[in-house]
Amino acid sequence: MELTTQHFIALLPLLVTSATIVVVMLAIAWKRNHAMTFILSVLGLNLALLSLIPAAGVTPIQVTPLLLVDKFACYYMALVLAATLACTTLIHAYLGGESGRQGYPGNREELYLLILLSALGGLVLVSAQHLAGLFIGLELLSVPTYGMIAYAFFNKRSLEAGIKYMVLSAAGSAFLLFGMALLYAESGSLSFAGIGAKLAADGLPSLIAQVGIGMMLIGLAFKLSLVPFHLWTPDVYEGAPAPVAAFLATASKVAVFAVLLRLYQISPVTAGGWLEGMLSALAIASILFGNLLALLQSNLKRLLGYSSIAHFGYLLIALIASKGLAVEAIGVYLATYVLTSLGAFGVITLMSTPYSGRDADALYEYRGLFWRRPYLTAVLTVMMLSLAGIPLTAGFIGKFYVVAAGVQAQQWWLLGAMILGSAIGVYYYLRVMVTMFLAEPNLKRHDAPFNWGQRAGGIMLLVVGLLAFVLGVYPQPLLELVQQAGLVAVAH
C-alpha cells in the first residue's frame, strides 16, 4: 500500500513520541542533565498531545493492516499521553535535587526514556486492529515497565516487584501468543475484523477458536489484573516507585482495556454465550475480591492496587453490556479513573523521598496530615471520594454511566455485585480520609516539602484535584468528547 500525507498526519502522535525518545536518548548520551531530560520529555509529550488535533481531522484511516487511527484511537491516545505526562512530572518531583546528596543516588535520566518507550507501546496498542499490532504494542508497553518497577535498585521491595512482574508478565504474554496462534489456525486471519467475519461465517465457534479466545483473555486479564490473575498487583504496586505505580495503574491499563474493547466489539462472534459467562464470572470475582481484600490493607499503595482490581471489574460490566451506552460508559469511566488514580498516587509521590528507604505508603504516616499539609489533604480527600463514587466528583459520573449501561443490558447480577462492592469500597476510602484528620501522635513521619504546591509535580496535582471536582459538577465537555470517540470497523 502507498502511504500518503494523510497517513503521516494520522501517525503524528506516534511519530512525535518516537522522535522524542530519540532526542532524549541522544541528549542523555551527550550530557547527563536531569532538568534538561525532564524538559525534553515534557515538551515531546505535549507536542504529541497537540498533534492529536490534526490526526483526528483525517480519521478514520487505516495505516497498514496493523493500525487503524480513528476517533476512538485518538481519544485513548490522548488519555495515555496525558497520564504519561502527569507521571513524568511526578517522576521529576520524586527523583529530587540535582546533586547526589539531595536526591536519588543513581542515574535519573533513564527513567524518562523508559516511560516514553512504554507510552509509545500504549499508543500502538490503542490503534491496533490486528493481532500482530496488538502484540507489538503490548510488549513495547510491558518491557520498559520491568526496568521502571525495579528502578529504586537499593530497595529490596522494588527489585522483588520488578522480577515478579517480569516473570508473570512473560507467562501472560505466552498465553496471549498461544491463543493468537490457535485463532489464526482456525480463522486464517490475524486482523480483528477478519477473525470476526470468519468465525461468524462458521456459526458457532469451534473448540480450537474457543480455547484460543479463552487463552487470549487470560493474557489480557493478567495485564488488567482481574481476579484470579491479580496476585502480582499489590506486591508490584507496593514495590514500584510511586510515579511508576501511577503509570501502571493508569496509562498501561487504559491501553490494554481499549484494545480489549475494540477486539470484543469488532469480533461480535466472541460476544454472548460462554464468553459472556466467563467475563461475568471475572467481573463479579474482581469486584468482590478486590474490595474485600482492600478492607484489610494498612498500606495505601496496596489498598489502591486492590481497589484498581475492583474498578476494572466494574468496567467489565460495561464491556459485557457492549450495546447502547457501553462504549461511552467505558470512555467516561476510564477518564475519571485515570484522573483519580493520578491524584492519589501523586500525593504518595510528593510525600515520599526515594533516597531514604521506602516510599511513604503506610497509612499511619498520613495520620494528622490535615494539620500539617491541608491542601495536600484536600487533594487526597477529593480522590478518595471520587474513587468511592460520591456525587459531585468525577468518579460518580463514571459509575453512573456504567450502571446505566448495565441497566440498559439488564445485567442485574452484575449490577448487584457492583452495588455491594461500592458499599464495601466506601468504608476503606473513608478510613483513609478519617486517618488524615486524626490528631497526630509523635510519630517519625514523612512529609511533603513546604513549597510542594509551587513545583511542577505539585501544580499538576492541584490541577488534577480541581479537574476531578469540576468534572463531577460539570461533566458535559468530557461526555461530548467521549460521544465522538465511537468505534469504526474497517471492512476486509
Side-chain angles (χ1 to χ4, degrees):
M1 67 177 289
E2 277 188 38
L3 288 177
T4 62
T5 319
Q6 283 194 318
H7 288 107
F8 285 109
I9 292 172
L11 277 180
L12 265 180
L14 288 147
L15 295 174
V16 172
T17 312
S18 306
T20 307
I21 291 167
V22 174
V23 168
V24 168
M25 206 182 318
L26 292 173
I28 295 171
W30 175 59
K31 186 185 179 193
R32 281 194 177 275
N33 185 323
H34 184 208
M36 182 176 73
T37 311
F38 168 65
I39 289 164
L40 285 173
S41 307
V42 167
L43 268 176
L45 286 166
N46 275 311
L47 282 173
L49 264 173
L50 285 172
S51 71
L52 280 165
I53 299 166
V58 297
T59 57
I61 186 167
Q62 185 181 337
V63 189
T64 75
L66 299 191
L67 300 179
L68 168 69
V69 181
D70 53 4
K71 292 273 196 301
F72 175 85
C74 286
Y75 174 74
Y76 285 101
M77 277 188 198
L79 264 187
V80 169
L81 286 168
T84 310
L85 189 57
C87 294
T88 308
T89 320
L90 289 176
I91 284 171
H92 183 254
Y94 184 84
L95 293 178
E98 283 301 313
S99 73
R101 284 195 313 281
Q102 302 163 282
Y104 176 81
N107 290 332
R108 305 191 183 95
E109 293 78 13
E110 280 83 353
L111 191 51
Y112 296 100
L113 200 54
L114 290 171
I115 200 166
L116 287 168
L117 278 164
S118 206
L120 182 62
L123 300 185
V124 172
L125 202 54
V126 296
S127 42
Q129 57 151 2
H130 190 279
L131 293 181
L134 184 154
F135 192 71
I136 292 165
L138 196 62
E139 289 307 294
L140 186 53
L141 175 74
S142 302
V143 173
T145 52
Y146 309 155
M148 283 157 64
I149 291 165
Y151 207 78
F153 59 89
F154 44 80
N155 182 342
K156 275 208 315 282
R157 288 254 166 101
S158 183
L159 286 174
E160 181 195 330
I163 293 167
K164 243 179 207 168
Y165 187 68
M166 183 174 72
V167 171
L168 290 169
S169 188
S173 297
F175 270 104
L176 194 70
L177 267 178
F178 204 98
M180 286 178 185
L182 291 176
L183 269 184
Y184 179 65
E186 189 57 30
S187 65
S189 170
L190 282 175
S191 74
F192 295 175
I195 292 167
K198 177 73 176 75
L199 295 183
D202 293 348
L204 275 174
S206 67
L207 184 63
I208 290 182
Q210 288 184 13
V211 173
I213 291 164
M215 289 185 87
M216 276 191 69
L217 187 63
I218 289 172
L220 292 172
F222 166 82
K223 301 287 180 190
L224 294 169
S225 60
L226 298 167
V227 174
F229 313 105
H230 68 292
L231 295 171
W232 60 273
T233 313
D235 291 347
V236 169
Y237 277 34
E238 186 186 359
V244 175
F247 182 83
L248 271 179
T250 54
S252 126
K253 286 194 173 184
V254 164
V256 176
F257 204 88
V259 82
L260 178 63
L261 174 60
R262 198 191 281 269
L263 188 60
Y264 195 78
Q265 293 270 355
I266 289 180
S267 306
V269 72
T270 58
W274 66 276
L275 186 66
E276 195 168 298
M278 192 168 160
L279 281 172
S280 301
L282 284 180
I284 292 172
S286 300
I287 290 168
L288 297 179
F289 277 92
N291 281 310
L292 287 169
L293 290 168
L295 277 178
L296 311 170
Q297 302 307 316
S298 58
N299 180 302
L300 196 50
K301 275 196 199 165
R302 291 180 78 87
L303 184 144
L304 288 169
Y306 280 120
S307 100
S308 90
I309 295 170
H311 282 285
F312 278 86
Y314 301 148
L315 269 166
L316 278 184
I317 297 175
L319 183 74
I320 293 160
S322 85
K323 299 284 181 290
L325 272 176
V327 176
E328 212 173 300
I330 289 170
V332 173
Y333 198 98
L334 279 173
T336 58
Y337 166 78
V338 163
L339 203 58
T340 41
S341 293
L342 284 172
F345 280 107
V347 173
I348 298 173
T349 303
L350 291 190
M351 289 283 289
S352 303
T353 45
Y355 26 88
S356 59
R358 58 182 189 78
D359 290 351
D361 51 7
L363 260 185
Y364 69 78
E365 290 172 307
Y366 291 80
R367 194 181 167 112
L369 183 68
F370 173 71
W371 311 106
R372 312 194 301 270
R373 302 283 185 275
Y375 293 115
L376 204 57
T377 306
V379 173
L380 192 53
T381 303
V382 171
M383 296 310 144
M384 290 296 140
L385 290 171
S386 183
L387 284 168
I390 305 293
L392 294 188
T393 59
F396 169 72
I397 305 296
K399 274 208 173 125
F400 175 80
Y401 260 79
V402 169
V403 170
V407 168
Q408 209 177 23
Q410 301 185 334
Q411 302 283 352
W412 307 119
W413 280 103
L414 291 172
L415 287 173
M418 181 172 181
I419 290 160
L420 182 62
S422 298
I424 299 167
V426 169
Y427 172 78
Y428 61 80
Y429 292 129
L430 289 179
R431 197 180 84 202
V432 175
M433 283 164 49
V434 168
T435 305
M436 294 189 291
F437 291 92
L438 293 174
E440 62 175 306
N442 294 323
L443 281 169
K444 177 182 177 296
R445 58 171 186 261
H446 284 239
D447 244 339
F450 269 116
N451 63 340
W452 66 270
Q454 292 156 23
R455 299 181 179 187
I459 294 164
M460 189 280 302
L461 196 58
L462 291 170
V463 170
V464 165
L466 199 62
L467 263 177
F469 178 69
V470 170
L471 286 178
V473 180
Y474 181 62
Q476 208 52 43
L478 175 66
L479 303 184
E480 283 170 9
L481 202 64
V482 172
Q483 275 159 6
Q484 291 169 7
L487 269 167
V488 178
V490 169
H492 279 261

